[in-house]
Amino acid sequence: MFNDKLNIHLRKTKVSDLESLFQFQLDPDANYLAAFTSKDPTNKSAYLEKYTKLLNDPTVNNFTIVVDGIIVGSVAKFVMEGNAEITYWIDKKYWKKGITSYALKHFLAIETTHSYFRTRCV
């Protein structure tokens, strides 16, 4: 259920956000549900290298989800096999609060280059 008292917004992802986002992907339940995972999710240097490159890739559109000033996840558009896809990752502490629905709705208003999306999520 969505808590309308939360102050939720999206902002372009910065390299400094990657530390928080790295911590979220360490959760074993989230990794189990994810469409894409790292061979070793504990390898921080590999994570930072990969996502720093993605932040500089013009075909990828990365946003950080912030709730009440706290980073709680991310949402991004990427292209795979010619299809635009959306991926998102939310800190497990914020599951089932309507944050993902809000973030996806607002992301689709920002990411206007899509004609069709497939979604990959946690």
Side-chain angles (χ1 to χ4, degrees):
M1 173 161 219
F2 180 70
N3 181 343
D4 61 358
K5 294 181 182 185
L6 295 175
N7 179 13
I8 305 169
H9 73 276
L10 303 179
R11 65 169 167 74
K12 287 295 277 183
T13 300
K14 302 180 267 187
V15 172
S16 59
D17 297 340
L18 297 179
E19 176 66 38
S20 295
L21 301 176
F22 171 76
Q23 295 301 317
F24 303 152
Q25 62 87 47
L26 291 174
D27 182 85
D29 292 331
N31 264 285
Y32 177 76
L33 295 171
F36 301 109
T37 58
S38 300
K39 288 180 183 177
D40 179 7
T42 64
N43 186 338
K44 188 175 182 178
S45 61
Y47 178 90
L48 294 174
E49 181 179 339
K50 175 183 176 181
Y51 284 93
T52 299
K53 284 182 187 176
L54 290 174
L55 291 178
N56 293 308
D57 183 335
T59 68
V60 178
N61 196 5
N62 290 285
F63 281 82
T64 297
I65 304 166
V66 179
V67 175
D68 294 332
I70 300 167
I71 294 173
V72 303
S74 64
V75 60
K77 184 265 317 189
F78 66 99
V79 177
M80 189 164 113
E81 298 175 0
N83 294 309
E85 303 207 17
I86 295 176
T87 185
Y88 56 89
W89 200 292
I90 306 296
D91 181 357
K92 189 176 176 181
K93 294 182 289 194
Y94 293 91
W95 290 4
K96 299 183 181 181
K97 297 184 185 299
I99 294 166
T100 304
S101 297
Y102 176 93
L104 287 172
K105 176 182 174 185
H106 288 278
F107 181 76
L108 289 172
I110 295 166
E111 179 53 60
T112 59
T113 61
H114 62 84
S115 58
Y116 171 74
F117 277 116
R118 290 191 292 185
T119 306
R120 311 241 181 217
C121 60
V122 163

